[in-house]
């Protein structure tokens, strides 16, 4: 018989509904395939908690979870109020108390800010929604913020990016608890990837940087993003917009805060991930994304995402 595993969701007024229901559906569906997750929803004081969509969520007082003994998994949901408003002291204290009784702790989206305020991310790697990663890093320099990850794990503490990535994280937890086959069955039932790799980018190259104000720089950016596999170089882009290489480099640094070469590499890496996701081989991907050789792709991909393209592709092939 599968081990009974209690999952406690910490909520609060203004909690984002999908941050709760997304992971909850994963754990609930896992029960249809042999798992035994018991789900409970708590808030500092209990009662109805109004969610971002206006639907009330019925919760117990957090003290009820504390009285019932150790918690297997604590899930801290997010909400814009955790960023836009001071976090209530009783909510911080509740998060800390529940985490102290939990075998593992996970946050969804801006729930990372609550974990950070409770001191639970000190000295750890973490992520949150891409809109707020800079702020998390600035307000909590003791945290190693990974701005371009869907979810992270550092010991028993997990954090995930915006909204739907909570589903990816929950699938990863189910996979760890019950194995790949059960997690795959859950993903099929929910019609989602079995498990997007935690290191996968939160957003594509086209969304990563603001639209350039300088028309010439915009043409250079468009040329690269529309065809990453072409023979791009600082010289070719400078010739395209009719400026010197030095001037083009100044424009890139001033508006995008990186060099033309680094921009090209970033776009090609995003293209490579998309090609690997689509089932292309590493060799095909290296050619189509403009890396020229498997080794060039492997070096850049591993440096950026912490895993080899062949391993990344293997995980996605399994998911499909």
């Amino acid at each position: 018989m599968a081990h009974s595993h209690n999952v406690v969701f910490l909520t609060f007024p203004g909690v984002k509904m999908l941050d709760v229901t997304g992971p909850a559906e994963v754990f609930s569906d896992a029960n249809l395939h042999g798992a035994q997750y018991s789900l409970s929803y708590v808030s500092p004081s209990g009662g109805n908690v109004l969610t971002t969509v206006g639907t009330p969520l019925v919760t117990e007082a957090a003290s009820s979870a504390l009285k019932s003994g150790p918690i297997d998994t604590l899930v801290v949901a997010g909400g814009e109020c955790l960023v836009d408003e001071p976090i209530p002291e009783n909510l911080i204290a509740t998060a800390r108390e529940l985490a102290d009784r939990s075998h593992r702790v996970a946050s969804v989206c801006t729930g990372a800010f609550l974990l950070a305020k409770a001191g639970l991310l000190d000295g750890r790697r973490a992520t949150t929604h891409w809109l707020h990663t800079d702020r998390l890093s600035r307000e909590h320099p003791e945290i190693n913020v990974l701005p371009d990850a869907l979810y992270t794990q550092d010991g028993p503490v997990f954090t995930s990016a915006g909204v739907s990535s909570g589903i990816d994280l929950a699938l990863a937890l189910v996979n760890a608890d019950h194995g790949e086959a059960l997690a795959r069955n859950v993903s099929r039932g929910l019609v989602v990837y079995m498990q997007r790799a935690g290191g996968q980018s939160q957003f594509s190259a086209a969304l990563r940087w603001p639209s350039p104000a300088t028309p010439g720089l915009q043409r250079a950016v468009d040329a690269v993003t529309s065809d990453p596999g072409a023979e791009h170089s600082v010289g070719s882009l400078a010739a395209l917009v009719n400026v010197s290489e030095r001037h083009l480099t100044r424009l890139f640094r001033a508006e995008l805060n990186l060099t033309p070469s680094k921009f090209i590499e970033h776009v090609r890496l995003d293209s490579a991930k998309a090609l690997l996701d689509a089932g292309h081989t590493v060799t095909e991907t290296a050619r189509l994304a403009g890396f020229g050789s498997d080794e060039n792709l492997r070096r850049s991909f591993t440096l950026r995402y912490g895993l080899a393209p062949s391993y990344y592709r293997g995980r996605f092939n399994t998911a499909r």
Side-chain angles (χ1 to χ4, degrees), residues 235-290:
S236 67
L237 293 179
L240 174 67
V241 300
N242 197 29
V243 297
S244 68
E245 294 183 22
R246 179 175 297 181
H247 183 63
L248 182 66
T249 299
R250 282 199 296 266
L251 290 175
F252 265 94
R253 287 190 181 280
E255 296 200 37
L256 302 182
N257 198 32
L258 76 173
T259 65
S261 297
K262 275 298 181 183
F263 177 79
I264 294 169
E265 182 182 30
H266 281 309
V267 173
R268 284 175 172 168
L269 282 169
D270 277 340
S271 175
K273 286 199 285 86
L275 289 164
L276 293 169
D277 295 347
H280 289 278
T281 67
V282 173
T283 299
E284 290 170 341
T285 297
R287 176 177 57 82
L288 294 172

Side-chain angles (χ1 to χ4, degrees), residues 80-92 117 135:
E80 290 304 309
C81 58
L82 298 179
V83 179
D84 297 336
E85 306 168 13
I87 301 177
E89 288 298 327
N90 68 331
L91 181 56
I92 297 172
K117 281 290 188 181
R135 181 167 182 172

Side-chain angles (χ1 to χ4, degrees), residues 35-74:
Q36 288 190 358
Y37 291 106
S38 61
L39 311 183
S40 58
Y41 309 90
V42 305
S43 60
S45 303
N48 287 349
V49 168
L50 194 64
T51 65
T52 51
V53 297
T55 301
L57 180 66
V58 180
T59 71
E60 304 174 69
S63 57
S64 63
L66 293 171
K67 290 177 182 176
S68 63
I71 298 169
D72 291 309
T73 299
L74 172 66

